[in-house]
Amino acid sequence: MNTIFVHEGIEFDLTLTYADTTGVEWAWTGEQVDGVPLMAQKKAPGGCETPWKLTDLYWELGPLIAIHDGPSPADFRAAIDPDYADTVAAGYVEAPAAFGARITTAPVPSPAVPQLTAHHLPPSPLEQTGFRRFLSSISGRSAS
């Protein structure tokens, strides 16, 4: 039986689950009516348990978004290193424990941070010679 259905130029792979615009997932029941696949909700608690024609579902709640299964670990390996078996055989793959030991390093001690004291700071304007004399002159007191 053909698992590809074409509607208005759009191919639907009936082996996949589809989500409608409300987020409900629909799957093919394996049945057809007038050559149109029947779709049923995957989980229908309180929802519609009656199958819909894919064309009606498309028009009422579409567009339909295909939900693909996630890639397997083998798919990831093939995408990253298509010659993974050759890489392992050549010894370029290290054990997780060896990798962990290689990347784990002792923290580098930071040098002691010097603490600022009063003699590291610039002198206060009040301690400068001319400024104190100026303040004394405007206050009417004598400079000390």
Side-chain angles (χ1 to χ4, degrees), residues 44-105:
C48 176
E49 295 189 20
T50 305
W52 286 33
K53 286 183 174 181
L54 189 137
T55 53
D56 295 340
L57 181 63
Y58 178 80
W59 280 107
E60 295 291 326
L61 299 171
L64 301 177
I65 302 162
I67 300 173
H68 297 276
D69 292 333
S72 68
D75 294 335
F76 279 114
R77 271 194 223 107
I80 295 169
D81 184 1
D83 301 319
Y84 181 74
D86 295 336
T87 302
V88 172
Y92 295 127
V93 176
E94 60 188 333
F99 176 73
R102 183 171 56 82
I103 66 169
T104 303
T105 59

Side-chain angles (χ1 to χ4, degrees), residues 24-27 29 31 33 37-54 56-57 61:
V24 175
E25 294 182 13
W26 297 82
T29 63
E31 301 174 36
V33 173
L38 289 179
M39 306 292 283
Q41 287 185 11
K42 280 190 78 171
K43 298 176 185 171
C48 176
E49 295 189 20
T50 305
W52 286 33
K53 286 183 174 181
L54 189 137
D56 295 340
L57 181 63
L61 299 171

Side-chain angles (χ1 to χ4, degrees), residues 2 6 12 23 33 40 48 61 77 82 85 94 97 99-100 102 109 111 116 118 121 126 135-136 139:
N2 190 8
V6 180
F12 292 93
V33 173
C48 176
L61 299 171
R77 271 194 223 107
E94 60 188 333
F99 176 73
R102 183 171 56 82
L116 293 178
L121 302 174
L126 294 177
L135 289 178
S136 297
S139 68

